[in-house]
Amino acid sequence: MNLQTEYLPFLIPVIIIELALMITALIHVVRHDHYKFGNKPIWIIVVVLIQIIGPIVYFVFGRSDEE
Amino acid sequence: MTGYGAFVKKEFMEFYRSHKLLIILAVFLLLGMMNPLTAKITPQLVENFMPEGMIVNLGEPTAFDSWMQFYKNVPQLGLVVLVILFSGMMSQEYSKGTLINMLTKGLARRSVILSKLTVALVMWTAAYVICTGISWAYTAYFWKGEILHDLFSAAVLVWIYGILLLAVGLFGSVLCKNAYGNLLITGGFVGVQFLLNIIPDAIKYNPLALVSRNMELIEGSLKFEELLFPIAVSAGLAIAFVIAACAVFNRKTL
Amino acid sequence: MNALEIRNLQKSFGSHVVLDNLTMTVREGEVFGFIGQNGAGKTTTMKAILGLLQADGGEIEIFGKRVHYGQTATNKMIGYLPDVPAFYSYMRPGEYLKLCGEICGMSQGETKVKSQELLEMVGLTESVKKKIGGFSRGMKQRLGLAQALLAEPRLLICDEPTSALDPAGRKEILDIMRQVKGRTTVVFSTHVLSDVERICDTVAVLHKGKIALSGPLSEIKAKHRADTLQIEFTDPAEILQLQSKLGSSLKAEADGCILNIKTANLKQTEAEVLAILSAQNLMPVRLEITEPTLENLFMEVIK
């Protein structure tokens, strides 16, 4: 569709950024077992399904301070 | 100032290792792209969602619309994210007591404040430049040939306001032991400006102008000289808040 | 010169007087044990020494230099290990020591050499790659000692360095402190009296805001040396019987089925007691001579 090619310059970078955020957050969630609240399955869902905001919430509020 | 350089390095390390660097870049990158995008899409979206029979006469989106989105989204979303990201500047140091060791070794109290401020400013500037740069690039790409004036000056206004908010946040963070009190103070600060705007005379000086009248500048209905007052007020306030932060911190028992 | 001199230190929190005209001296090169009950004011005293706390009155001098609240000039001579050392959990131990070195004004090369030396001494070389966030309490304590000793301070102050450690950890920390004794003056607070007996030269007891007891450990023990005769019976009534026959000059205290008799002349008292036991036909379960411990002295002082 014509519409899509028009928006491609937008879509590609956006997808890359979303993926970067999600993957970084996901790796961190999986590797570390401690969180300020919630548990691993919940955070995996939040980080993967809630685009952009999910990983941000995890890194700012949910991540535990200890390794 | 003892330990300033060392502590700045530590703050950068902390910013990077806590993934805040990743977040701030991602958010402002996305914001930068979102502005031209929403400007372009909005008419089409409105068309699709309007019930049959209603004729909506929205002109083709222009570069002007793109920047209008910018000056709506960046202050509302971008600055909020900025404030939240930096709201805990001091709270962790307080709650965990990590500063005690540093201070007993000879780190000057002033260095603590100024190094945190330095990192916040650098990160804000970098993120904002990226955001503005991207918006500008995409706008130029999609609306080739449209020339708008005073784009640079309008952009600088938001940058200054961001610095002001960071100064307030720094002060609030030093004052309150936790991040929520700090957010209240910053929010209150902005709230007061909204209230002041009701007074006609205050509009001339209100820092809020830096993030609410940008489009008027681009349009040409506002001259840059008229904004010198808000700029001066903002700069003065920012410096005052930083000095106040140092003063409060000097007296804090850790 | 004295490593630490405190004169008439006064501090109250609201109406609660914590330090009341406190005077204390620590000589250079010794290991000084600072003991007191919980809440006696040990940590308060240390914070005042470090300029972290504003005292209401009195003076503190470190190797002759005055301590001022909020200023860190005197801290350059001090290495401080707080009771719960707090680090930046995203850093690795080497990085943290590097930061400390930079703040102290040490050169990068110096910091690197000393860090390696100290990490080895405290036994953290295997954990150099780990972030501090994953450290156990004992590891953090050891890192705390390393950073306290980084700038080769003349005075090392430790606030309850062994309280949260298991016996192995406790021994490790004490051994390290014993190692630096001599070139460094060591002051540490604790309420584990066996630690004090292990490595201290001098001891001071903080009680009700003042020093209730102080001096070289050996001297203190010798002065209060009054051996105790301990007699245990199965029936408390037998204790009463014995007590009634004892001379009034003897200090005898009953504790359930045990009678403690304090005496300066052990042989004489023992003979006397045995004579009474025999005459009254009392058969004790146990008869024992006990020596004074720091614990006994402490309990007496805080009464």
Side-chain angles (χ1 to χ4, degrees):
Chain A
M1 265 173 51
N2 199 15
L3 219 59
Q4 273 179 341
T5 39
E6 214 183 309
Y7 291 112
L8 222 47
F10 284 122
L11 288 179
I12 298 181
V14 167
I15 292 180
I16 294 179
I17 294 178
E18 286 188 2
L19 277 179
L21 272 178
M22 182 183 89
I23 292 178
T24 316
L26 191 62
I27 295 180
H28 203 273
V29 170
V30 167
R31 265 210 212 141
H32 303 98
D33 274 324
H34 308 283
Y35 318 101
K36 278 205 189 120
F37 54 91
N39 51 30
K40 202 185 277 215
I42 293 185
W43 281 115
I44 292 183
I45 294 178
V46 167
V47 154
V48 171
L49 291 186
I50 308 182
Q51 290 299 326
I52 307 172
I53 308 288
I56 293 183
V57 168
Y58 173 69
F59 280 126
V60 178
F61 297 110
R63 180 177 58 112
S64 138
D65 296 319
E66 308 303 308
E67 270 278 289
Chain B
M1 247 182 325
T2 322
Y4 173 71
F7 214 65
V8 166
K9 275 193 256 178
K10 166 252 171 196
E11 285 292 320
F12 273 121
M13 185 197 280
E14 187 168 316
F15 199 70
Y16 166 72
R17 293 219 176 147
S18 60
H19 300 271
K20 288 192 179 158
L21 180 66
L22 176 66
I23 293 177
I24 206 178
L25 286 180
V27 166
F28 279 90
L29 255 173
L30 287 174
L31 261 182
M33 285 193 289
M34 205 170 94
N35 306 311
L37 180 62
T38 27
K40 226 176 177 310
I41 282 192
T42 312
Q44 290 173 359
L45 276 180
V46 169
E47 252 177 58
N48 284 340
F49 284 110
M50 279 293 130
E52 299 287 337
M54 277 193 74
I55 302 177
V56 182
N57 199 5
L58 280 178
E60 273 291 302
T62 63
F64 187 80
D65 295 310
S66 171
W67 286 108
M68 199 161 74
Q69 287 295 321
F70 182 91
Y71 288 108
K72 189 163 64 108
N73 294 329
V74 171
Q76 287 177 11
L77 283 174
L79 285 180
V80 166
V81 169
L82 180 73
V83 166
I84 292 181
L85 267 181
F86 284 101
S87 62
M89 270 190 278
M90 295 296 293
S91 51
Q92 270 228 337
E93 307 263 19
Y94 281 150
S95 65
K96 285 180 145 188
T98 38
L99 276 178
I100 296 185
N101 194 14
M102 300 281 104
L103 291 174
T104 52
K105 282 204 157 21
L107 180 66
R109 288 207 178 201
R110 223 181 336 155
S111 300
V112 176
I113 306 282
L114 291 178
S115 57
K116 286 183 189 275
L117 181 68
T118 305
V119 172
L121 289 183
V122 168
M123 293 281 95
W124 161 235
T125 307
Y128 185 63
V129 163
I130 290 178
C131 181
T132 315
I134 294 215
S135 272
W136 182 84
Y138 274 92
T139 306
Y141 173 73
F142 280 111
W143 291 281
K144 297 194 208 339
E146 278 191 53
I147 303 183
L148 292 170
H149 302 281
D150 279 325
L151 279 178
F152 183 71
S153 356
V156 167
L157 297 180
V158 175
W159 179 69
I160 297 178
Y161 197 73
I163 297 181
L164 175 60
L165 285 186
L166 284 175
V168 175
L170 183 61
F171 173 74
S173 188
V174 169
L175 196 63
C176 311
K177 292 248 162 180
N178 65 35
Y180 300 115
N182 180 14
L183 286 175
L184 269 178
I185 291 184
T186 312
F189 178 69
V190 176
V192 164
Q193 288 170 42
F194 272 107
L195 288 177
L196 282 178
N197 246 4
I198 301 179
I199 310 174
D201 272 336
I203 298 185
K204 264 203 296 180
Y205 305 99
N206 201 339
L208 200 59
L210 296 180
V211 290
S212 54
R213 308 185 74 188
N214 316 74
M215 289 319 291
E216 295 175 44
L217 187 65
I218 296 181
E219 264 178 348
S221 55
L222 184 64
K223 285 213 271 286
F224 190 72
E225 291 76 47
E226 288 179 62
L227 286 165
L228 284 177
F229 267 132
I231 293 180
V233 170
S234 304
L237 280 176
I239 296 177
F241 272 107
V242 172
I243 295 180
C246 287
V248 170
F249 189 55
N250 279 342
R251 278 174 206 24
K252 267 271 186 189
T253 316
L254 288 170
Chain C
M1 193 189 307
N2 288 326
L4 171 65
E5 254 189 65
I6 302 181
R7 293 189 291 270
N8 310 106
L9 193 62
Q10 193 83 21
K11 179 68 188 172
S12 310
F13 290 107
S15 55
H16 178 47
V17 179
V18 177
L19 300 177
D20 186 10
N21 228 340
L22 179 68
T23 298
M24 194 170 100
T25 306
V26 176
R27 280 185 312 247
E28 186 165 359
E30 66 178 1
V31 178
F32 189 92
F34 191 34
I35 46 188
Q37 293 170 291
N38 282 328
K42 307 191 288 288
T43 306
T44 310
T45 311
M46 290 186 166
K47 286 206 166 158
I49 296 175
L50 288 158
L52 289 173
L53 189 82
Q54 171 107 51
D56 300 327
E59 294 119 33
I60 305 179
E61 273 179 19
I62 312 280
F63 289 107
K65 287 177 95 166
R66 279 287 296 273
V67 172
H68 295 280
Y69 169 63
Q71 292 170 27
T72 50
T74 39
N75 290 344
K76 301 221 193 290
M77 300 182 271
I78 308 181
Y80 176 51
L81 173 60
D83 52 355
V84 186
F87 305 103
Y88 293 114
S89 29
Y90 50 84
M91 285 193 177
R92 305 192 174 88
E95 293 168 343
Y96 189 77
L97 288 179
K98 183 157 168 258
L99 174 63
C100 291
E102 263 185 81
I103 293 189
C104 285
M106 291 167 65
S107 77
Q108 278 214 11
E110 236 186 297
T111 314
K112 209 158 172 213
V113 168
K114 264 322 296 245
S115 303
Q116 220 152 342
E117 216 184 275
L118 286 167
L119 285 175
E120 226 183 280
M121 184 171 93
V122 300
L124 281 175
T125 30
E126 278 159 26
S127 316
V128 279
K129 295 253 179 224
K130 269 179 95 175
K131 293 201 182 144
I132 301 180
F135 274 23
S136 70
R137 176 76 185 263
M139 288 163 86
K140 285 191 186 165
Q141 207 82 0
R142 285 186 271 155
L143 180 60
L145 255 184
Q147 64 81 23
L149 294 167
L150 188 65
E152 293 188 346
R154 293 170 75 186
L155 175 62
L156 175 67
I157 300 188
C158 303
D159 194 351
E160 308 219 9
T162 57
S163 47
L165 299 175
D166 63 19
R170 202 172 275 177
K171 180 173 185 307
E172 273 168 7
I173 295 285
L174 289 175
D175 284 342
I176 299 171
M177 291 204 292
R178 199 187 283 130
Q179 260 187 291
V180 299
K181 166 178 159 162
R183 27 183 192 138
T184 313
T185 311
V186 180
V187 173
F188 74 99
S189 71
T190 179
H191 40 52
V192 181
L193 298 172
S194 51
D195 289 348
V196 172
E197 290 187 333
R198 255 153 129 173
I199 62 169
C200 287
D201 305 314
T202 313
V203 156
V205 178
L206 182 62
H207 184 56
K208 292 216 171 94
K210 295 196 202 303
I211 298 290
L213 178 69
S214 85
L217 189 59
S218 45
E219 245 181 60
I220 292 185
K221 281 184 139 180
K223 238 201 291 187
H224 294 253
R225 175 165 287 250
D227 290 319
T228 310
L229 197 60
Q230 201 172 74
I231 312 167
E232 190 175 347
F233 294 96
T234 42
D235 188 353
E238 296 178 301
I239 294 189
L240 294 171
Q241 224 182 326
L242 174 56
Q243 253 185 311
S244 57
K245 295 292 179 201
L246 282 174
S248 50
S249 57
L250 288 172
K251 285 206 292 184
E253 249 177 66
D255 184 12
C257 288
I258 300 178
L259 183 68
N260 290 309
I261 306 176
K262 272 239 209 60
T263 167
N265 193 338
L266 196 60
K267 284 247 178 330
Q268 189 186 322
T269 312
E270 208 178 348
E272 217 180 291
V273 167
L274 285 174
I276 302 175
L277 290 174
S278 169
Q280 298 290 316
N281 216 3
L282 292 168
M283 296 298 157
V285 171
R286 180 168 58 91
L287 179 77
E288 191 179 310
I289 299 171
T290 56
E291 302 222 334
T293 61
L294 197 52
E295 192 174 337
N296 301 346
L297 297 172
F298 182 69
M299 296 306 294
E300 229 175 90
V301 164
I302 65 170
K303 246 188 274 187

